Amino acid sequence: MEQYKIMIIKFLENPFLIFFLLLLSLNYSYFLIPKFPKGIPRIILISPIFYILYFLPWCFSFAFLRGILSFFITWITSFKLILFCFNKGPLSLCKNPIDFILISILPLKISIFDEKSVRNTSDKLIYDQKIVDRKYEISDKTSIKNDSNESISDLKDVSQKYEIFDISICKRYDMEEIFKQPYLATSFRDFWGKRWNRYSSKMLRLTIYDPTNEALKNLGKNTSNLLAIVCTFVVSAIMHELMFYYITCGLCLKPTCEVMWFFVLQGICISFEKFFYAKNWAIMDARISILLKRIFIVFSFYFLLVLPVVREGKNTCEVTK
């Protein structure tokens, strides 16, 4: 037993072996999982991979690195693989193992303007005027209209005319947007849904919110939305508490759950906010309301999220897990 433990510790101290195991696991997921029916059968077959993803951050001594890996690998990659088991999410769009691996572990997505993808797919690029205006700040007087049979050469002509983009230099991947001026948030929903950590919000929406909302739709639209929001923030709270466990090197044997309660509290606030909006109730001036919400987010963030990490966190941890 002691020799077995020594072998495991030596294995954990070699990051190359760890990442080789990660790559092997993702290749297993890419090549083997799609051969089985989507849903529960795939979840069962991929369940050992979830344990590997949970285990991986413990292989590094730096607590900060553990926190980063616990977010991108243990949390986000696991959620992407769950979606992949149901033929949903960003991994379902991958056409080769390189795409699958990179998009699994990095905040990347397949570029919709990838020239090779445009040539090889039957789907055509259709430009929506609102999206064009928002992304490229084209004047409202400019109008771009493309039909579904437009060729690649036509797209190049349009891009040269309006200087939107040059399709010949399109990237293969785009970075996922993580933050979008969170200090400009006007509500709890705006802050958590559109501005703060949009990457994890997207995964939570696809993995938790949408399925929960769909499963509870018989209860009514408003009720299902509220319950889906609460469930989403509860799951987010659990995942953040897990990250806190990694950062503190697993030494917090009696967790205070301050990190978890922070996100549960935010979910409750969003639910009340949505309820008040639905009833069209306005307790105070909109500007005062926005200011108070921002103050509440900052103070709760500091006392329930920052302070516990500072108090319990360690710079390095011994690799003994």
Side-chain angles (χ1 to χ4, degrees), residues 7-25 52 55-56 59-60:
M7 290 177 60
I8 293 179
I9 293 176
K10 289 183 177 180
F11 178 79
L12 296 180
E13 291 175 346
N14 192 328
F16 295 104
L17 291 178
I18 296 301
F19 278 105
F20 174 77
L21 180 61
L22 176 62
L23 295 178
L24 190 65
S25 302
I52 293 174
F55 195 73
L56 187 140
C59 304
F60 299 90

Side-chain angles (χ1 to χ4, degrees), residues 89 148 170 254 301:
S148 60
C170 288
K254 295 181 179 180
F301 182 87

Side-chain angles (χ1 to χ4, degrees), residues 60-217:
F60 299 90
S61 60
F62 288 101
F64 177 76
L65 182 58
R66 287 188 179 190
I68 296 297
L69 291 175
S70 66
F71 175 73
F72 286 104
I73 304 298
T74 306
W75 178 0
I76 301 298
T77 300
S78 296
F79 277 29
K80 287 181 179 180
L81 289 175
I82 291 173
L83 291 171
F84 180 65
C85 290
F86 294 89
N87 290 337
K88 296 181 180 180
L91 296 182
S92 63
L93 303 176
C94 299
K95 302 301 182 183
N96 58 71
I98 296 178
D99 285 351
F100 190 88
I101 292 172
L102 291 177
I103 292 177
S104 293
I105 62 179
L106 298 174
L108 299 175
K109 57 184 177 181
I110 299 293
S111 173
I112 62 172
F113 296 128
D114 178 58
E115 184 175 5
K116 184 177 180 180
S117 298
V118 172
R119 286 176 176 173
N120 293 340
T121 184
S122 59
D123 298 330
K124 306 299 180 180
L125 291 176
I126 301 175
Y127 293 94
D128 183 86
Q129 179 62 39
K130 294 181 180 179
I131 296 178
V132 174
D133 287 347
R134 183 173 67 252
K135 288 188 176 181
Y136 302 102
E137 299 180 355
I138 297 177
S139 172
D140 292 335
K141 296 181 180 180
T142 303
S143 177
I144 303 175
K145 184 178 182 182
N146 299 317
D147 59 33
S148 60
N149 296 321
E150 191 170 26
S151 65
I152 296 297
S153 61
D154 294 329
L155 295 178
K156 289 183 178 180
D157 293 338
V158 172
S159 67
Q160 291 173 359
K161 182 176 180 180
Y162 294 101
E163 297 181 352
I164 301 176
F165 63 90
D166 183 2
I167 199 166
S168 64
I169 58 170
C170 288
K171 299 179 295 182
R172 176 63 176 164
Y173 308 104
D174 284 334
M175 287 289 295
E176 290 277 7
E177 187 177 30
I178 298 182
F179 298 104
K180 187 178 181 180
Q181 298 177 309
Y183 50 85
L184 296 180
T186 58
S187 65
F188 291 112
R189 291 184 298 171
D190 184 37
F191 180 82
W192 291 109
K194 299 179 181 180
R195 297 186 180 278
W196 181 265
N197 203 344
R198 291 163 55 88
Y199 186 42
S200 63
S201 296
K202 176 183 176 181
M203 291 298 105
L204 286 166
R205 176 177 57 80
L206 294 174
T207 313
I208 308 299
Y209 177 84
D210 288 347
T212 304
N213 192 29
E214 180 66 21
L216 301 177
K217 64 180 180 180

